[in-house]
Amino acid sequence: MKALNYHPDEVARSLRVKKTTTIGVVIPDFSSSFFVEVVRGVEDAARSSGYSVLLCNSNDDPQQEQRHLRVLLSRRVDGILLASTDLYSIGQQFWSNTPVVLFDRIPNGYQGPAVAIDNVQAAYSATKYLVDLGHRSLAFIAGRLDLPTASDRAEGFRKALEHAHLPLRGEYFKRGDYHPQSGYQNGLELLKLPHPPTAILCSNGMMTLGLLRAIAETHVLCPDEVSVIGFDEPAPDANGFSLSTLLKPELTVVAQPGYEMGQRAAQMLVKTLSHNGSEDEGENKLFTFQAELRVRKSAAPRPQ
Amino acid sequence: MKALNYHPDEVARSLRVKKTTTIGVVIPDFSSSFFVEVVRGVEDAARSSGYSVLLCNSNDDPQQEQRHLRVLLSRRVDGILLASTDLYSIGQQFWSNTPVVLFDRIPNGYQGPAVAIDNVQAAYSATKYLVDLGHRSLAFIAGRLDLPTASDRAEGFRKALEHAHLPLRGEYFKRGDYHPQSGYQNGLELLKLPHPPTAILCSNGMMTLGLLRAIAETHVLCPDEVSVIGFDEPAPDANGFSLSTLLKPELTVVAQPGYEMGQRAAQMLVKTLSHNGSEDEGENKLFTFQAELRVRKSAAPRPQ
DNA sequence: TTGAAAGCGATACCAG
DNA sequence: CTGGTATCGCTTTCAA
């Protein structure tokens, strides 16, 4: 029979059994290698459970995100993985009874299933690492502060300074928007200050790209004159071959386990689906990964 | 009505109207920033035409690719975008009447709709560029030679040497598999040769990652002792912020317009779908992009 | 213009 | 166990 290639109609089947064995994934930025890694993890885990993946890119636009979610719901995906660009809405409304697992961007106090890293801790230890290297003038380039990832990292930075009894100077605290241009712009401003910082912590990979460009253009020496730690590997590292290790100074970063986060999020969702929505399975809370400080060469002891 | 959030059931609709407004995309490697760029282009173009995207990663495994295609067909996607890892099968069987647009990897003599770059030409001009810099000992790291992308690039390399009346030495022609490890391994072998080449052309981004690592480890100076040109940007360049420009020597590359290729492929597919399968619309042939040689610093005149 | 009925291709159920 | 039939939620058609 099937030798003469017959493919059972999955859409008819889906209509009847009321499930599509499909999960929807919404990410805010397809240029970011962090989110690409997450998607890779999701795809792998989903496939190995027999699920297909509908991929959506909101491009950090709340309207597009809403439209994507509507489409996914219309298509009757069994569940949704979401890194929302519009957390306020997420927190407020419950737009459906389709299970959702949030990743990376989680509203404060969110009770549902989610996976993320401990951003406060991650930024704290990166900052402490710089302090321990002797730096006293530390700058921070923040992301969109309406997002917990950004505000938590800022919080971690603040806390570390406080514990070290170092002042937090206003001109050393920059607000970016997670995109490369803002890393570049804020980087330039920091480097051209009368008293530039001797170390900069940058809140994500895209902005780090911009910051590195700013450093290159101003011919400031890194790490001799300024130390840099970035969040995320700015480029995917395949099989341990990471571009970050080949950069002018090898880049010291706080690396999030993107692939594992994606895998885990997908697994949590699939488990919820097989338990058929029985919400409180114990697994249904926030799962927190630990970020890893990858010490390379871009952060060095404070120059004299 | 819809104020009380009602989402029309797209799966029931699909069953009735016999179309899903969904396209399937199968890529061979999710670590490769080239394919990620393609997917980004596909996603954008698809969404703007109202299509959703089912994403599949074959991981360069023919079996997985077959399974993915079966699933996509079962799910009644309206069309498929495919960079196949198993071109022989593609050329032979016509597994369905679901429209397919091939991208990047096209069997020789394929008659259907497809988008790619002129790989012979791309490798030819990169090689000629090296020859014009005075290099006489040129090496080439090939990809999987069963793939036209790989064999065409090899062909372009050969042709350029021939036109320059330069010999093609066996130990300078390496076979890789498009993965980083093979770029690393072959790179080491080349660099440790009694008479190492003064220039290396590397067939894709992943292998270039490996090659750069080999160069770093052996402390060979690039471009002073060996010039390097890679295919593809090994990292995504977001809004003009490319990591390649921040590498130890800024990397000279042959860049494929991945995003545009993805867009174009999706557009071709969508057009075919709206013309309802009337095959020969004039648009339905191979669309060829031009690769761009991005001259930076990793390729320099031959050392004395 | 509006409303009722048939049917898309599977599954699930019930009777034979 | 085998086979006929209702059903999923929508579009389409046809009749009123």
Side-chain angles (χ1 to χ4, degrees):
Chain A
M1 283 282 164
K2 298 189 178 180
L4 299 77
N5 76 322
Y6 156 77
H7 300 272
D9 190 324
E10 197 61 33
V11 14
R13 176 172 202 284
S14 294
L15 176 60
R16 181 66 242 239
V17 303
K18 288 184 165 321
K19 51 202 278 315
T20 52
T21 356
T22 302
I23 67 183
V25 180
V26 184
I27 60 171
D29 184 1
F30 216 132
S31 304
S32 152
S33 48
F34 168 67
F35 287 115
V36 169
E37 277 300 290
V38 173
V39 170
R40 202 163 68 81
V42 168
E43 215 273 339
D44 277 5
R47 183 191 49 230
S48 77
S49 301
Y51 283 80
S52 295
V53 170
L54 270 173
L55 180 63
C56 306
N57 171 18
S58 73
N59 220 29
D60 256 327
D61 172 357
Q63 297 226 343
Q64 284 198 16
E65 178 175 304
Q66 282 297 331
R67 282 191 13 226
H68 281 308
L69 291 173
R70 250 193 292 281
V71 169
L72 291 176
L73 259 19
S74 280
R75 308 224 159 192
R76 298 294 187 265
V77 294
D78 294 341
I80 292 176
L81 297 175
L82 171 62
S84 177
T85 195
D86 186 19
L87 286 175
Y88 180 73
S89 314
I90 302 306
Q92 297 303 305
Q93 53 178 134
F94 258 69
W95 8 273
S96 80
N97 43 15
T98 302
V100 175
V101 173
L102 261 35
F103 64 94
D104 184 60
R105 301 177 174 186
I106 324 289
N108 289 321
Y110 183 74
Q111 291 299 318
V115 359
I117 63 163
D118 182 343
N119 285 294
V120 178
Q121 166 59 27
Y124 182 94
S125 52
T127 309
K128 181 164 189 313
Y129 176 76
L130 290 170
V131 167
D132 289 347
L133 284 172
H135 293 277
R136 317 260 123 218
S137 318
L138 311 199
F140 183 74
I141 302 181
R144 276 177 45 192
L145 288 171
D146 59 311
L147 297 176
T149 50
S151 59
D152 285 357
R153 288 167 198 181
E155 167 78 6
F157 176 73
R158 269 199 208 93
K159 227 192 262 183
L161 286 197
E162 190 181 311
H163 287 187
H165 306 294
L166 289 172
L168 172 54
R169 298 174 52 179
E171 73 262 40
Y172 286 172
F173 187 93
K174 293 294 188 178
R175 316 177 169 233
D177 60 6
Y178 274 159
H179 294 285
Q181 180 64 36
S182 78
Y184 175 71
Q185 193 56 46
N186 285 309
L188 284 184
E189 290 174 17
L190 286 172
L191 297 170
K192 289 179 171 171
L193 243 28
H195 297 282
T198 63
I200 304 176
L201 178 60
C202 189
S203 304
N204 85 336
M206 294 283 101
M207 293 194 301
T208 305
L209 244 45
L211 171 59
L212 292 177
R213 165 88 120 245
I215 289 173
E217 278 185 14
T218 53
H219 301 100
V220 172
L221 294 179
C222 170
D224 314 86
E225 297 174 308
V226 65
S227 285
V228 169
I229 297 183
F231 258 83
D232 306 331
E233 296 286 3
D237 50 355
N239 299 323
F241 288 85
S242 168
L243 258 192
S244 301
T245 65
L246 296 164
L247 290 174
K248 206 130 84 195
E250 298 178 32
L251 195 64
T252 295
V253 299
V254 178
Q256 303 186 67
Y259 181 84
E260 290 76 8
M261 290 172 71
Q263 265 192 316
R264 186 72 188 208
Q267 285 163 356
M268 285 175 64
L269 185 55
V270 166
K271 180 174 290 188
T272 302
L273 296 179
S274 60
H275 290 346
N276 204 20
S278 51
E279 274 295 341
D280 20 35
E281 279 293 332
E283 288 283 4
N284 270 345
K285 295 300 160 218
L286 176 66
F287 186 94
T288 305
F289 279 88
Q290 213 55 29
E292 175 196 355
L293 182 65
R294 296 194 181 149
V295 173
R296 296 200 275 244
K297 306 279 176 59
S298 66
R302 172 177 64 138
Q304 286 320 318
Chain B
M1 283 284 165
K2 299 188 177 178
L4 298 80
N5 78 322
Y6 156 77
H7 300 272
D9 190 324
E10 197 62 33
V11 14
R13 177 172 202 283
S14 293
L15 177 60
R16 181 66 242 239
V17 304
K18 289 186 164 319
K19 51 202 274 320
T20 53
T21 359
T22 301
I23 66 184
V25 180
V26 184
I27 61 171
D29 184 1
F30 217 131
S31 304
S32 152
S33 47
F34 168 67
F35 287 115
V36 169
E37 277 300 291
V38 172
V39 171
R40 203 164 66 83
V42 167
E43 215 273 341
D44 277 6
R47 183 192 48 231
S48 77
S49 301
Y51 283 80
S52 296
V53 171
L54 270 174
L55 181 63
C56 307
N57 172 18
S58 73
N59 221 27
D60 256 326
D61 172 356
Q63 297 224 342
Q64 282 198 15
E65 178 174 305
Q66 283 297 332
R67 283 194 10 229
H68 280 308
L69 291 173
R70 251 193 290 281
V71 170
L72 291 177
L73 259 18
S74 280
R75 307 220 162 200
R76 298 296 188 264
V77 295
D78 294 343
I80 291 176
L81 261 29
L82 170 63
S84 177
T85 195
D86 187 20
L87 287 174
Y88 180 74
S89 315
I90 302 306
Q92 299 301 306
Q93 52 177 133
F94 258 69
W95 10 273
S96 81
N97 42 16
T98 302
V100 174
V101 173
L102 261 36
F103 64 92
D104 185 59
R105 303 178 173 186
I106 324 290
N108 290 322
Y110 183 73
Q111 290 299 316
V115 0
I117 63 162
D118 182 342
N119 286 293
V120 178
Q121 167 59 27
Y124 182 93
S125 51
T127 309
K128 183 167 186 313
Y129 175 77
L130 289 170
V131 168
D132 290 349
L133 284 173
H135 293 279
R136 319 259 123 218
S137 318
L138 310 198
F140 183 77
I141 301 180
R144 273 177 47 192
L145 288 171
D146 59 311
L147 297 176
T149 51
S151 59
D152 285 357
R153 288 167 197 180
E155 166 77 6
F157 176 74
R158 271 201 207 92
K159 229 194 259 184
L161 286 196
E162 189 180 311
H163 286 186
H165 305 293
L166 289 172
L168 173 54
R169 295 173 52 179
E171 74 262 40
Y172 287 174
F173 187 95
K174 293 292 188 181
R175 320 177 165 233
D177 61 6
Y178 274 160
H179 294 285
Q181 181 63 35
S182 78
Y184 175 70
Q185 194 54 47
N186 285 308
L188 283 184
E189 289 174 17
L190 286 172
L191 298 169
K192 289 180 171 170
L193 244 27
H195 296 283
T198 63
I200 304 176
L201 178 60
C202 189
S203 303
N204 86 335
M206 292 285 101
M207 293 194 303
T208 306
L209 245 46
L211 171 59
L212 292 177
R213 166 86 122 248
I215 289 173
E217 278 186 13
T218 53
H219 301 100
V220 173
L221 295 178
C222 169
D224 313 270
E225 298 174 308
V226 64
S227 286
V228 168
I229 297 184
F231 258 83
D232 305 335
E233 296 287 3
D237 49 356
N239 299 322
F241 288 86
S242 170
L243 257 193
S244 301
T245 65
L246 297 164
L247 290 174
K248 207 133 77 196
E250 299 178 30
L251 195 62
T252 296
V253 299
V254 178
Q256 304 186 68
Y259 181 83
E260 288 77 8
M261 289 172 70
Q263 265 191 315
R264 186 71 188 208
Q267 286 163 356
M268 285 176 62
L269 185 55
V270 167
K271 181 173 290 189
T272 302
L273 296 179
S274 59
H275 291 347
N276 202 18
S278 50
E279 273 295 341
D280 20 37
E281 277 294 332
E283 288 281 5
N284 271 343
K285 294 301 158 220
L286 176 67
F287 187 93
T288 305
F289 279 88
Q290 213 56 28
E292 175 196 356
L293 182 65
R294 296 194 180 148
V295 173
R296 297 197 275 244
K297 306 280 176 56
S298 67
R302 171 178 64 138
Q304 288 318 318

